[in-house]
Amino acid sequence: MFDKSCGLKEIISMKLRHQLDVTRLRKNEIAIFWLGQAGFIIKDYDENIVVIDPYLTDCGERIRGFKRLTPKLLSPGELEPDIYITTHIHFDHFDFDAVPIVSSCPWTKFFGPQTCVDKYLELGIKKERVSLLGCGTEITEKNIMIKAVFADHGRLAPEAIGILLNINGIKLYFSGDTAYRPEMIKDVIDFAPDIAILSVNGKFGNLNSEEGAKLASDIGAKIAIPCHYWMFKEHGGDPQLFEEEMKKHSPQCLTKFMCQGEMFRYSL
């Protein structure tokens, strides 16, 4: 039972934290949760929690005046991940207000490109808890393969990366923020991801709906999950248009639209 004195924000947070805690998975299965924007949580059979690009606070409004339009699903102190990955230094991927709080969890390891590594260290995270993910770097942590791959976020974030994960044979690709560069994605094509999670808002140098659909086809993904829309009015994004473009360019790929906070189970 929820405490009747709790407000809506607290109830939302408690619900997702409870779902994370009680979800049990088979060896060949993962659970994916969308936090909004480009933020995702993945839980595996071994109870590992991986988080990529979580935006948990209102630091974007404080830093740039970008007001959050969707609820906060978890407080930074509730997250307690094993693996925390940021694809680049922009506030909606590297949450400047959340990272110091998350780092109070003693077992969390932090990963990212050089700019993110520098900021982790600046925020007081010990260097033995921080690992560099330059393009092409492959690391195994908690029996999870993590590999940084090409992303083109232009002068906005020249060190931005995409991410490949192999979790008990389930293969995921996170585009991060990137333009459409089909000539630069051989690593992703060779990886043959089961699931592609694509930023398709079409602003600030990102894939638009058509480009996201073409990328899903290029890499042969089985499932495409669009993201990076509806968090801020400035970022745009049209999931309906993405669905239409997927029908044109990648009809063999299932398009999965997720509600923020929803759990999606995937198994081999």
Side-chain angles (χ1 to χ4, degrees):
M1 292 290 290
F2 294 125
D3 184 342
K4 293 182 181 179
S5 67
C6 289
L8 178 60
K9 289 191 294 185
E10 288 79 9
I11 290 173
I12 291 170
S13 180
M14 289 167 61
K15 183 177 180 182
L16 179 54
R17 181 65 254 183
H18 177 72
Q19 182 77 74
L20 276 167
D21 289 340
V22 302
T23 296
R24 299 292 178 265
L25 299 156
R26 300 190 303 272
K27 183 73 174 179
N28 65 339
E29 185 176 42
I30 59 171
I32 302 172
F33 302 82
W34 186 32
L35 292 171
Q37 196 64 348
F40 287 83
I41 298 173
I42 304 100
K43 184 174 183 178
D44 70 8
Y45 166 80
D46 297 308
E47 303 283 304
N48 295 313
I49 300 292
V50 181
V51 63
I52 297 182
D53 287 345
Y55 182 67
L56 304 173
T57 72
D58 292 310
C59 77
E61 187 169 10
R62 175 178 65 79
I63 295 169
R64 287 284 305 279
F66 282 35
K67 182 179 179 180
R68 171 192 279 273
L69 302 180
T70 60
K72 301 184 188 84
L73 301 181
L74 280 177
S75 68
E78 290 176 304
L79 191 53
E80 299 184 327
D82 298 280
I83 296 170
Y84 189 108
I85 301 170
T86 48
T87 60
H88 61 288
I89 199 65
H90 289 164
F91 68 78
D92 56 322
H93 299 257
F94 190 109
D95 188 324
F96 295 91
D97 293 345
V99 168
I101 300 171
V102 176
S103 69
S104 65
C105 178
W107 59 81
T108 302
K109 300 287 185 67
F110 294 85
F111 301 81
Q114 188 65 58
T115 48
C116 295
V117 166
D118 292 344
K119 183 57 70 172
Y120 287 141
L121 298 175
E122 181 184 322
L123 291 171
I125 302 173
K126 293 181 178 179
K127 62 181 181 180
E128 58 266 27
R129 298 176 62 190
V130 176
S131 295
L132 173 65
L133 287 176
C135 188
T137 302
E138 183 175 320
I139 296 173
T140 298
E141 178 72 26
K142 296 276 188 176
N143 293 318
I144 295 169
M145 187 281 287
I146 306 165
K147 184 174 181 178
V149 293
F150 174 84
D152 177 6
H153 206 20
R155 290 179 295 175
L156 293 169
E159 292 185 338
I161 55 173
I163 294 292
L164 304 179
L165 297 180
N166 189 322
I167 304 175
N168 292 324
I170 298 172
K171 295 181 287 184
L172 302 99
Y173 165 55
F174 294 80
S175 72
D177 283 6
T178 186
Y180 182 54
R181 299 286 183 265
E183 71 279 8
M184 298 297 293
I185 58 171
K186 184 177 185 302
D187 283 353
V188 184
I189 294 171
D190 291 345
F191 186 65
D194 300 296
I195 300 171
I197 296 177
L198 307 171
S199 296
V200 296
N201 60 306
K203 290 189 177 181
F204 299 96
N206 277 356
L207 301 163
N208 61 29
S209 292
E210 181 181 17
E211 292 164 339
K214 288 181 176 178
L215 181 57
S217 178
D218 292 341
I219 63 178
K222 298 175 184 175
I223 297 173
I225 301 175
C227 67
H228 212 288
Y229 56 87
W230 293 356
M231 178 68 78
F232 308 105
K233 65 179 175 59
E234 293 86 351
H235 278 183
D238 185 342
Q240 179 64 44
L241 180 57
F242 178 71
E243 182 175 48
E244 293 169 4
E245 295 293 343
M246 286 292 290
K247 290 176 182 176
K248 295 178 191 175
H249 298 288
S250 193
Q252 76 287 351
C253 179
L254 173 67
T255 306
K256 172 67 178 177
F257 295 98
M258 295 187 68
C259 301
Q260 295 178 19
E262 177 185 358
M263 180 179 71
F264 169 48
R265 288 178 181 261
Y266 178 82
S267 59
L268 292 175

